[in-house]
Amino acid sequence: MDHHGVVHRTASSSPVGEKEKMAYSDLDLEAPRIRGIETSAETSLHRGLKARHITMIAIGGAIGTGLIIGTGKALAQAGPGSIFISYSIVGFVVFLVMAALGEMAAWLPMSAGFTGYASRFCDPSLGFALGWTYWLKYIIVTPNQLTAAALVIQFWVPRDRINPGVWITIFLVAILCINYFGIRFFGEFEFWLSSFKVVVIVGVIILALVIAAGGADHDPKGFRYWNDPGAFRPYIAEGSWGEFLGFWSTMVTATFAYLGTELVGVTVGEAQNPRKTIPRAIRLTFYRIVFFYCISILLIGMCVPYDSEELAFANSASSSANASPFVVAVRLAKIPVLDHILNACILLFVFSAANSDLYIASRTLYGLSSDGAAPSIFRKTNKNGVPLFSLLTSALFALLAFLNVSDDSKLVFNYFVNLTTIFGLMTWISILVTHIHFVRARRAQNLTDDQMPYVAPLGVYGSYGALSMCCLIALTKNYDVFVGDWNEKYVTFITGYLGIPVYLLLILGHKIRTKSKGVRPHECDFYSGKDIIDREEEEFLAAKAAQRAAQPTKAGAVFYKRFVSWLF
C-alpha cells in the first residue's frame, strides 16, 4: 500500500513460493494462477477505490438521463400513478439484484467481477455469454452517450454552425484520458461528478416540491392532476385494461432507467476493503433509490399533467433540456433561465455516463480475459493498474459515435442501441441465477449465514422473486409491436428481442466448443484465492488502524459518516 492508500499487488501477494524472487508473466509456468483472480503485478488491478468512491459510483450509475429525461415519455403515456408504482416496484427489484451481487462479492471479491462469479459458482458458459454480451452493450452505449452529449450542446449551438463530430471528438478524448490516468484519478473524478448529480437531483426535488406547493406561481397544485386528468392513462386499449397496459409499458421504461446500477460489481477488483465497502454501497442504494427516484417521480406527477401540450412537445425533442419533464414543470410555473441551467446539468450527466461506460467496457473485457474467455493480452495492465489494451480496444468502438453525424447511418445505429439494451436485463437475470446457485452450493457445503460477510436480506427467495419479474419484463418489453401495423413495427420487434437468442446461442456455442458442465453444489469452489483476499484485507485494516492512531478521527468526519454519507 502506498501513501495514498492504494493497494498495489506484487509478488508478495502470492501465497506460495519465494515471494521476493517470484516473477509473473503469461509464460511463467511455475507461478500459480487462479481463474478470475489476478495476483501478478503485470496483470493485477490496483485497489484505489475508497469507500466514498464506491458508494458514489453505485448511485451515479443509477442517476442519469433515464430519470431526468426518460420519465417524460412514461408520464405522458401512462400517467403519474403508473410511473410511481412501476418505478417503486422495479427499484425494489434492483435492490434485490444488488443484494444478490453483494453477497457473492463480499465473500470473494474477484478481478473478473460478476462474469467470474457466473463461471465459478454456476456455469462457465453462463460467464462467457454474460461477459461478452455485457461488453457488447457498453461498446454500443458509450458512443450513444457521446452522441447524446453532442445533442445536448445543440440546445445552445445549432449543428449547422458547428458539426456534432467536433463535440464527439472532444468528449471522447476527455473520457479516454480520465480512464488512462488510473483508477484513483477515475474514482476521484467520478466521485465529484456523482456528487454533483446528487446535488442536482436534490435541487430538482426541492424545486418540484416548491412548484407543487404553489411557491413559484402561487397556485398550490397538490394532487390535482391525479384527479384531473387522472392518475392512470389508458394506452392502446380503453378502460381498466388500457390503464394496465399503460402501467406495464412504464415497467419497461423504469427497468431501463435503472440499468447500470450493477456496475458496482465491476469495481470489486479495484475497491479497497471490498468486503465492507461493497455491502455498504448496496445497502445505501436502497435508500437512495427511494429518495432520488420514488420521491422525484411522485413530485413530477404532481407538477405536470399527463395531457400537457408542453409535455407532448418535450417528448418529440432530442436529449436536451427540452425533453425533460422537470423543464416542462419549470415552464408551466413560468420560471425563467432555469432551463439553461438544467441543460448544463444534463450535459454533465451524459458526460459522466460516457466516462463510466468506457470504464465498464474496459474492465468487462479485462474480466473476460481474467476468466479465460478472451485473449490474455486484455488482462495486461500498465504501472497505473489500467488494462491498457482493454481500454484502447473498447475506446476504438466509441468511434461508432461518428455514425450519428449522418442521418442515414443514425437509423442503423439506433437499431444497434435497441438490440443491446436487452443485454442489460439479461445481466440482472444472470446475476440472480448465479446467486441462486451460490446459495444452494454454500448450503450443500455447510457455509452458514453467520460465516458470510454479507447476506442478501431476503435470501434466495428474494432472488427467485426478482428473477421472475426480470424474465417477465424481458419477454414482454416490446409487447406493443403486436398491436397496430406489423409492417411498421417488425424492425422494432426484431431488434428488441434478438438479444435473447444471441445470448442463448453464446451459452450453447460455448458449451459445444468447450464441453463445459454446470457447477454442482458439492463441487463449487468457495476458497481458491480467498486467502489472498484475506491477506490484503488484513494489511489494509492494519494500515488504517495505524493511520487512525497517528491521526485521530475529527468530529466533522464522524458527523458526515453518521448523517450525510447515505446521501453523498
Coordinates of all heavy atoms in Angstrom, one line a residue, residues 280 284 288 556 558-568:
R280 N -21.8 -2.1 2.0 CA -22.3 -0.8 2.4 C -22.9 0.0 1.2 O -24.0 0.6 1.4 CB -21.2 0.0 3.0 CG -21.6 1.4 3.6 CD -20.5 2.1 4.4 NE -21.0 3.3 4.9 CZ -20.9 4.5 4.3 NH1 -20.4 4.6 3.1 NH2 -21.4 5.6 4.9
L284 N -26.9 1.2 1.0 CA -27.3 2.6 0.7 C -28.0 2.8 -0.6 O -28.8 3.8 -0.7 CB -26.0 3.5 0.7 CG -25.3 3.6 2.1 CD1 -24.0 4.5 1.9 CD2 -26.2 4.2 3.2
R288 N -31.2 5.4 -1.4 CA -31.1 6.4 -2.5 C -32.1 6.2 -3.6 O -32.6 7.2 -4.1 CB -29.7 6.3 -3.0 CG -28.6 6.8 -2.0 CD -27.2 6.4 -2.4 NE -26.2 7.1 -1.6 CZ -24.9 6.8 -1.7 NH1 -24.5 5.8 -2.4 NH2 -24.1 7.5 -1.0
G556 N -16.1 16.3 12.6 CA -16.8 16.5 11.4 C -16.9 15.3 10.5 O -17.9 15.0 9.9
V558 N -17.0 12.2 11.7 CA -18.0 11.3 12.4 C -19.4 11.8 12.0 O -20.3 11.0 11.7 CB -17.8 11.4 13.9 CG1 -18.9 10.6 14.6 CG2 -16.4 10.8 14.3
F559 N -19.6 13.1 12.0 CA -21.0 13.6 11.7 C -21.3 13.3 10.3 O -22.5 12.8 10.0 CB -21.0 15.2 11.9 CG -22.3 15.8 11.4 CD1 -23.4 15.8 12.3 CD2 -22.4 16.4 10.2 CE1 -24.6 16.4 11.9 CE2 -23.6 17.0 9.8 CZ -24.7 17.0 10.7
Y560 N -20.4 13.4 9.3 CA -20.6 13.1 7.9 C -21.0 11.6 7.8 O -21.9 11.3 7.1 CB -19.3 13.4 7.1 CG -19.4 12.9 5.7 CD1 -20.0 13.6 4.7 CD2 -18.8 11.7 5.3 CE1 -20.1 13.2 3.4 CE2 -18.9 11.2 4.1 CZ -19.5 12.0 3.1 OH -19.6 11.5 1.8
K561 N -20.2 10.8 8.4 CA -20.4 9.3 8.3 C -21.8 8.9 8.8 O -22.4 8.0 8.2 CB -19.3 8.6 9.0 CG -19.3 7.1 8.7 CD -18.1 6.4 9.3 CE -18.1 4.9 9.0 NZ -16.9 4.2 9.5
R562 N -22.2 9.5 9.9 CA -23.5 9.1 10.5 C -24.7 9.7 9.8 O -25.7 9.0 9.7 CB -23.5 9.5 12.0 CG -22.6 8.6 12.9 CD -22.9 8.9 14.3 NE -22.1 8.0 15.2 CZ -22.0 8.1 16.5 NH1 -22.8 9.0 17.1 NH2 -21.3 7.3 17.2
F563 N -24.7 10.9 9.4 CA -25.9 11.6 9.0 C -25.9 12.0 7.5 O -27.0 12.3 7.0 CB -26.1 12.9 9.9 CG -26.2 12.6 11.3 CD1 -25.1 12.9 12.2 CD2 -27.3 12.0 11.9 CE1 -25.2 12.6 13.5 CE2 -27.4 11.7 13.2 CZ -26.3 12.0 14.1
V564 N -24.8 12.2 6.9 CA -24.7 12.7 5.5 C -24.3 11.6 4.5 O -24.8 11.7 3.3 CB -23.8 13.9 5.4 CG1 -23.9 14.6 4.0 CG2 -24.2 14.9 6.5
S565 N -23.5 10.7 4.9 CA -22.9 9.8 3.9 C -23.9 8.9 3.1 O -23.6 8.4 2.1 CB -21.9 8.9 4.6 OG -22.5 8.0 5.5
W566 N -25.1 8.7 3.7 CA -26.1 7.9 3.0 C -26.6 8.6 1.7 O -27.0 8.0 0.8 CB -27.3 7.6 3.9 CG -28.2 8.8 4.1 CD1 -28.1 9.8 5.0 CD2 -29.3 9.2 3.3 NE1 -29.0 10.8 4.9 CE2 -29.8 10.4 3.8 CE3 -29.9 8.7 2.2 CZ2 -30.9 11.1 3.3 CZ3 -31.0 9.3 1.6 CH2 -31.5 10.5 2.2
L567 N -26.4 9.9 1.7 CA -26.9 10.7 0.6 C -25.7 11.0 -0.4 O -25.9 10.8 -1.6 CB -27.4 12.1 1.1 CG -28.1 13.0 0.1 CD1 -29.3 12.3 -0.6 CD2 -28.5 14.3 0.7
F568 N -24.5 11.3 0.2 CA -23.4 11.5 -0.6 C -22.4 10.4 -0.4 O -21.8 10.3 0.6 CB -22.7 12.9 -0.2 CG -23.5 14.1 -0.7 CD1 -24.4 14.6 0.2 CD2 -23.4 14.6 -1.9 CE1 -25.2 15.7 -0.2 CE2 -24.1 15.7 -2.3 CZ -25.0 16.3 -1.4

